[in-house]
């Protein structure tokens, strides 16, 4: 599902103008990115939690030249943990 697909579906169900729905979706995503960049967690009850995790620096090796060592710097990654309702609905199809 793309952002456009989501906007079309919401627009049909609510009767709102598609452009307005797209604007709301984009603003929501922008604020989520802003919060994550500031180090805040984003929690949607029964959906899930987005959080920032810092991966430590580590040593990597070139597979073609195993003697060549490369230092991989630490970095931030976004983690997502499913909420209870989402998990039960997604896992039901497994």
């Amino acid at each position: 599902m793309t952002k456009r697909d989501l906007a079309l579906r919401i627009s049909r169900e609510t009767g709102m103008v598609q452009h307005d729905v797209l604007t709301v979706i984009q603003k929501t995503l922008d604020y989520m990115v802003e919060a994550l960049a500031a180090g805040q967690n984003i929690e949607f009850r029964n959906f899930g939690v987005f959080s920032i995790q810092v991966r430590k620096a580590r040593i990597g090796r070139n597979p073609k030249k195993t003697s060549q060592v490369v230092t991989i710097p630490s970095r931030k990654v976004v983690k997502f943990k499913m909420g209870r309702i989402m998990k039960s609905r997604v896992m039901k199809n497994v």
Side-chain angles (χ1 to χ4, degrees), residues 54-65:
V54 178
R55 287 197 181 162
K56 296 187 296 186
R58 59 191 170 97
I59 303 295
R61 288 187 168 62
N62 183 345
K64 291 184 180 180
K65 299 177 185 175

Side-chain angles (χ1 to χ4, degrees), residues 5-82:
D5 295 336
L6 182 62
L8 283 169
R9 190 169 176 181
I10 293 171
S11 178
R12 279 191 219 116
E13 289 181 17
T14 62
M16 290 178 63
V17 178
Q18 182 182 339
H19 179 69
D20 293 342
V21 174
L22 272 171
T23 303
V24 169
I25 292 171
Q26 187 58 53
K27 278 293 182 188
T28 303
L29 296 174
D30 291 344
Y31 290 138
M32 288 175 67
V33 169
E34 191 177 296
L36 288 169
Q40 300 172 344
N41 291 345
I42 300 171
E43 181 179 339
F44 296 112
R45 297 273 180 203
N46 300 318
F47 180 77
V49 177
F50 295 91
S51 60
I52 294 291
Q53 186 177 39
V54 178
R55 287 197 181 162
K56 296 187 296 186
R58 59 191 170 97
I59 303 295
R61 288 187 168 62
N62 183 345
K64 291 184 180 180
K65 299 177 185 175
T66 54
S67 62
Q68 186 179 7
V69 176
V70 178
T71 302
I72 301 169
S74 64
R75 62 186 177 128
K76 293 180 181 179
V77 292
V78 177
K79 301 289 277 185
F80 177 74
K81 183 178 178 186
M82 286 191 284

